[in-house]
Structures are given as structure tokens and as C-alpha cells.
Amino acid sequence: MEIAPVSNPAMDEDARHEICGLGQQGIWITSVEALYNWGRGNSLWPLGFGLACCAIEMIAASMARFDLARFGAEVFRPSPRQADLMIVAGTVTKKMAPQVVRLYHQMPEPKYVIAMGACAISGGPFKQGYNVLKGIDRYLPVDVHIPGCPPRPEALIHGLMDLQRIIAQQKLTGPGRPRHLRADAPAESAVPQHGPHDLEPPFDRALWRPPVLPREE
Ligand code: SF4
């Protein structure tokens, strides 16, 4: 695995040659930020759980034919305390939603969420069902959405690479730094409860708002 050297457009030609020469001798110059992001992006540990048919594709992605291990994400952890990636693979029923959110809360920061498949994104073919959540992004901050019913293992690998790209671009300082480095960011989102008619609250206001549809006159 190669650590990208710092790319500085202001660097003059002599300095560039010098750094290339050091690289040929096995010496790499990089920034703490690039090294930190490289380490996080290439050692994602997914939480080992699945909700429906999409989970079969997720399992296939981790087996020998598709070999998710090539991307540093083969260590599926049975405990949320040891996982930093939640792959929501399958239909999230309203009965299951509080448990999924609670598992997310039990994962340590920095942590990431992939919504895998139409069900996790929007409810999928069960969208009109009274018992199915119309998208896990109502309660969790989803980093990558993978469409499909089901998405193939290659699509999950593509989504994982998208997440690695997002992590590689994160700043450690400044206003654009991610949630886990911001003291003012809320530590937890709402855990829904089963109310008399629906989940309470029906969504986390800090994460999701219903779309405003213009009414036709
Ligand atoms: S998106 Fe399709 S394949 Fe995936 S859990 Fe829903 S119904 Fe099953």
C-alpha cells in the first residue's frame, strides 16, 4: 500500500525532484492528516449484522470470490464496541429500527454508515408498508448510499471505495472537520421508541427533514 506524498502546487521543481529521489530510496514524506486518513480508510471494521436479502450480498462480498479483505474491511466484528462501519444491509422494519440506532450509538467514533440497497435507502419495495422505515437516514448520518435491489457485491465494494475517498479528503482541523472532531457536534442521535401509531420521534430533526412539496393551485 502506497502513502500518497504531499502534493503542493507551490513546490518548486528542485524540491519535487528531491522528494521523488527520497521516494526511490524508500523514504516518503507525507502529512499527519494524509497518514491518519489513510490508516482509518484502509482499516474499516464493519459491524457483523444483516437485516434481509441485501445481507446475503454483503456476506458474498466478504467471501473468497469478491474478497473484501483486499480493501482492509474483512474484519466483521460481532460487537459494536469494536466496529467503526455500520453497513445497513436490508429492510429496516419499525420494530427493528430502535435496535439498529442503539447499535450505532454503541460504536466508538470515528464511525461511518453505508445504506446498502433500496430498502435501507427508502423502504424499497416495502415503502408503502405500514411497518417499514422509509430510509435509515431518518435516524443515522448515512455517508454512502448504494442503490439496487439487491446491489451486487461489486456495488458494495464500490461503495466502500467511495467511503475511503470521503475519509481521505477529511480535514483534521478547521471548520470542515468531521463530526468526531467537533466538540459542538451532538454525540448521539435520537433513539426511536414504539409509540401508539408510529415511531416516536418519526425522524431525527438534526439529520433529516421531510421534503417540502409545492402544492398545485
Ligand atoms: S433492497 Fe431488495 S434485496 Fe435488498 S433487502 Fe430490500 S428487497 Fe431485499
Side-chain angles (χ1 to χ4, degrees):
M1 193 73 61
E2 206 174 74
I3 303 174
V6 174
S7 159
N8 184 349
M11 191 184 290
D12 66 31
E13 221 25 53
D14 288 346
R16 215 182 289 276
H17 277 300
E18 194 173 331
I19 286 179
C20 287
L22 287 173
Q24 283 162 5
Q25 294 170 44
I27 300 170
W28 288 91
I29 297 177
T30 188
S31 65
V32 171
E33 191 173 84
L35 188 64
Y36 178 78
N37 289 343
W38 171 79
R40 280 189 302 137
N42 290 285
S43 61
L44 292 164
W45 287 9
L47 180 60
F49 86 110
L51 296 168
C53 5
C54 275
I56 303 298
E57 302 294 320
M58 180 182 72
I59 293 165
S62 69
M63 304 302 284
R65 181 169 177 189
F66 296 98
D67 198 10
L68 200 62
R70 291 173 293 157
F71 300 88
E74 81 278 24
V75 191
F76 277 78
R77 305 307 301 173
S79 163
R81 309 283 183 204
Q82 300 166 351
D84 59 2
L85 171 61
M86 173 175 269
I87 303 173
V88 184
T91 320
V92 187
T93 60
K94 290 180 181 173
K95 187 175 182 182
M96 199 64 189
Q99 284 68 259
V100 173
V101 176
R102 200 174 300 282
L103 282 171
Y104 174 78
H105 284 179
Q106 290 173 350
M107 291 163 56
E109 290 276 12
K111 54 190 171 184
Y112 312 95
V113 179
I114 291 179
M116 180 181 181
C119 282
I121 294 173
S122 67
F126 313 111
K127 188 176 175 62
Q128 302 306 330
Y130 68 94
N131 63 330
V132 170
L133 192 67
K134 296 178 180 61
I136 192 63
D137 53 4
R138 287 164 191 244
Y139 294 108
L140 300 183
V142 176
D143 297 285
V144 176
H145 298 80
I146 306 175
C149 178
R152 283 187 50 86
E154 294 96 329
L156 177 58
I157 290 172
H158 187 272
L160 188 81
M161 291 168 73
D162 277 346
L163 180 59
Q164 289 177 327
R165 277 188 278 270
I166 290 170
I167 293 172
Q169 289 164 6
Q170 286 184 337
K171 302 282 173 211
L172 296 189
T173 54
R177 63 195 188 283
R179 182 188 63 245
H180 69 277
L181 296 174
R182 291 203 324 260
D184 59 329
E188 292 195 340
S189 53
V191 178
Q193 305 293 323
H194 297 124
H197 302 294
D198 202 349
L199 289 173
E200 300 284 350
F203 51 86
D204 186 325
R205 287 189 163 273
L207 293 173
W208 190 88
R209 293 289 175 99
V212 180
L213 300 177
R215 286 185 184 278
E216 287 185 13
E217 295 296 325

